[in-house]
Amino acid sequence: MASNAPLLDDDDTLAFGEENEDKGKLKHPFVTLFHLLFRFGAILTYMLCAVFGMGFITSFIMIVMLLSADFWTVKNITGRLMVGLRWWNYVDDEGVSHWIYESRKGPSQNRIHAGESRIFWSALYASPVIWVVLFLIAFFKMRYAWMVLPIIGIALNGANVYGYVRCRYGAAQGLQASFGSVTSNFMREQVMKNISSMIFRQPTANASSQPQQTV
């Protein structure tokens, strides 16, 4: 459930000389770089792994690591610095899960760099769409093992999309936190089920293909 928690803590006072800051220059260039690096690095790795002859296991580990780094970075760092938004979760003493969606308001929100905001939202929306396209390509090419990675990409990127859309537009758009919790739990269960089946199914197939000795 969503909670009316305090807004993000930030000093609204502009630093000396910041009022004359160059509007075309990014305020957080390294943050912006890592906002793009991990997510599109995972996509490029997926698209090029076949070209360089990388095996599925090696590709799987590299892409999952990049997707995990992207999820953590976007959720905890880039959203807060680039667009002044943050979402997180905690469990109270009674075991009830609370989803918190925070947004800076007033003068603090006006300090968000317009160029960084456009980069943030464009990359946030584009990456799940690309993963959906890659999932469909793998499906029609009947590369079912490779469909697992786009599913993971859709789940992790989609969670950040949902969280930041909640932060940006709030409950006024009819988005319910309980629905988000159920959806994320379902996606996580499906991803883990697919991963488990891919890991444990292959040894079984290899074992069954070996000739059995008769006494």
Side-chain angles (χ1 to χ4, degrees):
M1 57 179 291
S3 174
N4 296 323
L7 300 178
L8 287 174
D9 250 343
D10 194 24
D11 184 7
D12 294 339
T13 304
L14 291 175
F16 180 74
E18 190 174 349
E19 63 276 6
N20 297 322
E21 185 179 8
D22 184 6
K23 299 299 182 181
K25 184 178 180 181
L26 298 178
K27 294 175 62 177
H28 308 97
F30 289 105
V31 173
T32 305
L33 172 64
F34 282 101
H35 180 72
L36 302 173
L37 180 64
F38 291 129
R39 61 182 46 223
F40 291 111
I43 292 172
L44 288 175
T45 302
Y46 180 86
M47 296 173 64
L48 298 177
C49 58
V51 176
F52 293 101
M54 296 172 57
F56 176 77
I57 300 299
T58 303
S59 303
F60 181 90
I61 294 173
M62 292 180 59
I63 294 171
V64 169
M65 289 179 63
L66 288 169
L67 288 172
S68 300
D70 169 71
F71 177 81
W72 186 90
T73 302
V74 174
K75 179 180 179 296
N76 296 288
I77 299 177
T78 65
R80 177 171 56 86
L81 296 178
M82 296 176 69
V83 291
L85 304 174
R86 182 174 66 179
W87 66 277
W88 50 287
N89 171 268
Y90 75 94
V91 179
D92 60 20
D93 295 336
E94 298 179 355
V96 179
S97 180
H98 298 268
W99 293 89
I100 313 300
Y101 304 94
E102 297 179 301
S103 174
R104 289 177 181 160
K105 301 295 183 183
S108 179
Q109 185 66 19
N110 294 333
R111 296 173 61 184
I112 300 301
H113 192 280
E116 290 184 353
S117 179
R118 286 192 294 269
I119 293 173
F120 178 87
W121 291 109
S122 298
L124 191 73
Y125 293 139
S127 53
V129 174
I130 296 174
W131 282 118
V132 169
V133 173
L134 294 175
F135 172 84
L136 294 175
I137 292 175
F139 176 79
F140 287 113
K141 288 187 175 181
M142 294 184 291
R143 301 177 63 192
Y144 299 118
W146 292 91
M147 291 169 55
V148 177
L149 290 168
I151 291 175
I152 298 174
I154 294 169
L156 294 179
N157 289 173
N160 268 327
V161 170
Y162 176 83
Y164 283 114
V165 168
R166 279 297 306 269
C167 293
R168 188 178 189 182
Y169 298 108
Q173 302 297 325
L175 298 174
Q176 299 299 325
S178 59
F179 174 77
S181 177
V182 172
T183 303
S184 61
N185 289 337
F186 174 77
M187 292 293 294
R188 183 167 58 251
E189 291 176 1
Q190 292 301 313
V191 170
M192 295 306 298
K193 184 184 298 183
N194 288 329
I195 293 173
S196 300
S197 64
M198 290 304 307
I199 293 175
F200 296 108
R201 183 176 56 188
Q202 187 173 358
T204 304
N206 292 337
S208 61
S209 62
Q210 294 179 355
Q212 299 180 356
Q213 296 181 358
T214 57
V215 179

